[in-house]
Amino acid sequence: MPFLGQDWRSPGWRWVKTADGWKRCESFSPALEDGNSQLSDISPTVILTDDDEEMYSTEDCEFATKKRKKDHRRNNTNSQCKSDFYREKWIYVHKESTRERHGYCTLGEAFNRLDFSSAVQDIRRFNYVVKLLQLIAKSQLTSLSGAAQKNYFNILDKIVRKVLEDQYNPRLIKDLLQDLSSTLCTLIRGVGKSVLVGNINIWICRLETILVWQQQLKNLQMNEQVNNGLTLSDLPLHMLNNILYRFSDGWDIITLGQVTPTLYMLSEDRQLWKKLCQYHFAEKQFCRHLILSEKGHIDWKLMYFALEKYYPIKEQYGDTLHFCRHCSILFWKDTGHPCTASDPDTCLMPVSPQHFIDLFKF
């Protein structure tokens, strides 16, 4: 009666004759990668069955061993390439399914592949990700799949934790949570569950979590930094003025002006607000919304906030997503991508948060 292995279809174990006696021929293992592996040291012999019938010659045994080594190396290479591929922070963007390219690139997949969870920890990408989530909260919340919803709120949770721990830009996340809560209240109470993907109770729990986050940010106390060295107030006036002229957001200028009386005086400079208006808006827009002061001069500060309500302001980010028209790849600017174009710089196009959402509208 022949010996049966673990698999009833198996003819049984194979044995090899060595200088130390008969040894069972183990199935292939990573140890065969070493040049001094056991099978490589086997002297010329034959592999016998339990009935001592010759099955393979020595050459066949060596050929089988080499083949197993080659297959193992190929599998390791393929798995390594696959893991390296998914570690890359770029993604193909396909709007059509063809014979060569099957399937679509979804928003949830983009969240994972572009690693937005880690992006919020980078100060250069933080504002970009927050602005993107804010636009999704305003217009695309009902189109998120289940996976995209999970990724969206996981990223949002990390953003809130970062703000609570580092006190970094709380105003930005407060605006995001306000827009998100307003949208959810409208959808849950006014429209109902028919437009929301998933159980309505899950969305109610998410709304409650958002309200808790808002309360935590409301109670946030900024830590006073103790520093015995130079502070911002110790800088010369011309340097403080240059700092204010680098700001592109009017609310940031107002916030900085509340620190000291000197900064308040500099933040009320008419030329500063004029430059800010000229940077964000066109002259034709000025004429439609002229606001004059009591002395008959243009009040550029009020002009800025009036124009902001009617026209979008220019967006500035430390690091943005870029799209390669040649490769159809979306990637972070500082990480790059494996471009095959002869002149890659001519194929790159910066992607604003709104453009990013438009890429995934099908």
Side-chain angles (χ1 to χ4, degrees):
M1 181 176 179
F3 170 77
L4 297 179
Q6 295 180 356
D7 188 346
W8 64 270
R9 295 165 296 183
S10 173
W13 297 110
R14 293 177 180 174
W15 298 80
V16 292
K17 187 176 182 180
T18 65
D20 299 329
W22 287 95
K23 291 186 177 181
R24 192 173 65 190
C25 183
E26 301 287 350
S27 58
F28 179 70
S29 63
L32 291 177
E33 286 184 325
D34 300 333
N36 297 325
S37 62
Q38 179 180 357
L39 290 180
S40 298
D41 295 336
I42 295 175
S43 58
T45 184
V46 294
I47 300 179
L48 302 179
T49 62
D50 292 329
D51 297 332
D52 294 338
E53 294 178 355
E54 183 175 338
M55 295 293 295
Y56 300 105
S57 65
T58 303
E59 295 179 356
D60 294 334
C61 180
E62 293 178 353
F63 174 77
T65 301
K66 291 180 180 179
K67 186 177 184 303
R68 287 195 296 267
K69 289 181 182 180
K70 183 177 180 180
D71 293 341
H72 182 73
R73 285 193 295 266
R74 182 165 56 248
N75 292 336
N76 283 348
T77 303
N78 292 339
S79 61
Q80 182 66 27
C81 291
K82 185 179 294 186
S83 61
D84 291 341
F85 177 79
Y86 283 103
R87 279 200 299 266
E88 296 291 346
K89 295 181 181 180
W90 51 263
I91 187 173
Y92 288 101
V93 179
H94 308 309
K95 289 193 174 183
E96 298 178 355
S97 180
T98 64
R99 288 184 177 181
E100 295 79 12
R101 296 173 177 175
H102 298 280
Y104 296 93
C105 175
T106 63
L107 191 61
E109 184 182 1
F111 282 157
N112 281 334
R113 291 290 304 279
L114 295 173
D115 198 12
F116 279 14
S117 296
S118 299
V120 298
Q121 304 299 329
D122 191 334
I123 193 173
R124 299 168 302 169
R125 302 176 183 175
F126 181 85
N127 292 357
Y128 186 94
V129 177
V130 172
K131 181 64 176 179
L132 175 60
L133 297 187
Q134 188 174 13
L135 292 176
I136 293 176
K138 290 181 179 179
S139 60
Q140 300 298 315
L141 205 59
T142 57
S143 63
L144 294 180
S145 64
Q149 293 174 25
K150 184 177 179 180
N151 294 334
Y152 181 92
F153 283 94
N154 285 340
I155 296 170
L156 186 59
D157 178 64
K158 291 186 177 182
I159 290 175
V160 174
R161 290 178 183 275
K162 179 177 177 58
V163 174
L164 292 176
E165 293 174 1
D166 302 340
Q167 292 88 40
Y168 178 75
N169 209 344
R171 178 176 57 84
L172 196 62
I173 187 60
K174 286 180 181 179
D175 294 341
L176 166 59
L177 293 179
Q178 180 60 41
D179 292 336
L180 184 57
S181 61
S182 299
T183 303
L184 277 182
C185 286
T186 303
L187 293 175
I188 292 175
R189 298 174 183 175
V191 180
K193 62 181 180 180
S194 59
V195 297
L196 292 172
V197 178
N199 193 311
I200 189 66
N201 294 325
I202 296 178
W203 287 102
I204 294 176
C205 292
R206 288 170 176 167
L207 179 59
E208 293 175 352
T209 302
I210 293 171
L211 297 178
V212 171
W213 286 340
Q214 287 179 311
Q215 188 62 38
Q216 290 176 347
L217 291 172
K218 184 178 180 180
N219 299 332
L220 179 63
Q221 298 292 331
M222 304 299 290
N223 297 331
E224 183 177 356
Q225 296 183 357
V226 179
N227 191 347
N228 297 327
L230 293 176
T231 63
L232 189 64
S233 303
D234 298 324
L235 295 176
L237 288 179
H238 71 278
M239 294 186 67
L240 294 174
N241 199 42
N242 287 335
I243 292 174
L244 286 169
Y245 269 82
R246 297 296 187 275
F247 282 52
S248 61
D249 192 326
W251 286 108
D252 290 338
I253 295 177
I254 291 179
T255 302
L256 185 61
Q258 296 174 352
V259 177
T260 63
T262 302
L263 288 172
Y264 175 78
M265 177 192 65
L266 295 175
S267 66
E268 294 295 319
D269 183 20
R270 291 182 64 252
Q271 277 299 120
L272 172 65
W273 290 98
K274 180 179 179 180
K275 290 289 185 181
L276 193 62
C277 288
Q278 291 175 343
Y279 173 75
H280 287 288
F281 311 106
E283 292 184 5
K284 293 182 179 180
Q285 298 170 343
F286 296 160
C287 301
R288 299 175 185 175
H289 304 277
L290 276 178
I291 300 177
L292 302 178
S293 62
E294 297 178 354
K295 298 181 180 179
H297 301 294
I298 298 177
D299 193 331
W300 291 106
K301 181 179 179 181
L302 294 180
M303 280 274 292
Y304 170 82
F305 291 105
L307 293 171
E308 188 183 29
K309 296 179 181 179
Y310 296 99
Y311 309 105
I313 63 176
K314 291 182 180 180
E315 300 175 357
Q316 282 188 339
Y317 305 102
D319 186 22
T320 63
L321 289 172
H322 275 60
F323 181 74
C324 179
R325 293 186 293 267
H326 177 77
C327 306
S328 297
I329 287 180
L330 189 66
F331 62 99
W332 289 106
K333 179 181 177 181
D334 66 339
T335 57
H337 76 290
C339 187
T340 58
S342 56
D343 190 3
D345 293 338
T346 60
C347 307
L348 303 185
M349 177 180 64
V351 178
S352 66
Q354 183 60 54
H355 186 197
F356 176 87
I357 295 176
D358 295 338
L359 286 174
F360 295 94
K361 286 182 179 179
F362 303 112

